């Protein structure tokens, strides 16, 4: 069982930055896809970015457009999401998720493909 704990959310003004953290209870270097998702009220959960911990390869949602960066710190078993140039439409609950790389030939992009989830951290961007 993998436990994930997100932190770093909060309220920020348009154009500001936040760094979200996701601390895992396991050695993430042993082979996980770690993903960040978000869900706004009344909307479906959408994928922001994911990282493959064995090689650090990344994949981003189209809407990110260079504003967000996912990274990992294997020594801390933590994955980060650096968010810059924040917009009001980025307001949502942000979730960290994980699944084993052994489960998928192709990197997973859909929420149902991830087995473990954190409790979420709220991000609010105001104008």
């Amino acid at each position: 069982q993998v436990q994930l704990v997100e932190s770093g959310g909060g309220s920020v003004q348009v154009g500001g930055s936040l760094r979200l953290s996701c601390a895992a209870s396991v050695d993430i270097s042993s082979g996980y896809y770690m993903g960040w998702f978000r869900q706004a009220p009344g909307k479906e959960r959408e994928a922001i970015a994911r990282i493959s911990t064995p090689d650090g390869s990344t994949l981003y949602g189209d809407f990110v457009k260079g504003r967000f960066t996912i990274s990992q710190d294997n020594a801390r078993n933590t994955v980060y999401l650096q968010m810059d140039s924040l917009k009001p439409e980025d307001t949502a609950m942000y979730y960290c998720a994980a699944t084993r790389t052994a489960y998928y030939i192709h990197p997973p992009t859909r929420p149902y493909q991830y087995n473990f989830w954190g409790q979420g951290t709220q991000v609010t961007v105001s104008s």
Side-chain angles (χ1 to χ4, degrees):
Q1 191 76 358
V2 178
Q3 294 182 332
L4 304 171
V5 179
E6 302 100 331
S7 61
S11 296
V12 65
Q13 292 193 326
V14 169
S17 298
L18 284 172
R19 188 177 80 156
L20 306 183
S21 299
C22 172
S25 62
V26 295
D27 177 6
I28 63 172
S29 67
S30 64
Y32 286 88
Y33 290 116
M34 305 290 293
W36 282 100
F37 294 79
R38 70 183 186 184
Q39 187 167 21
K43 295 189 177 182
E44 292 186 355
R45 191 167 296 190
E46 64 177 344
I48 302 169
R50 70 107 180 106
I51 190 165
S52 173
T53 61
D55 61 11
S57 60
T58 59
L59 182 67
Y60 293 91
D62 291 341
F63 68 89
V64 169
K65 298 187 185 300
R67 299 186 298 126
F68 297 174
T69 304
I70 189 171
S71 62
Q72 65 187 83
D73 183 339
N74 290 347
R76 292 181 168 82
N77 291 320
T78 299
V79 173
Y80 303 98
L81 184 68
Q82 176 68 41
M83 304 188 295
D84 300 315
S85 302
L86 284 163
K87 306 174 182 179
E89 52 264 43
D90 294 319
T91 295
M93 185 71 78
Y94 283 66
Y95 297 92
C96 176
T99 191
R100 294 302 301 263
T101 55
Y103 295 165
Y104 293 98
I105 296 175
H106 302 291
T109 59
R110 302 296 182 89
Y112 73 85
Q113 295 176 299
Y114 287 79
N115 306 94
F116 308 104
W117 290 84
Q119 81 288 351
T121 185
Q122 178 68 37
V123 171
T124 302
V125 184
S126 58
S127 55

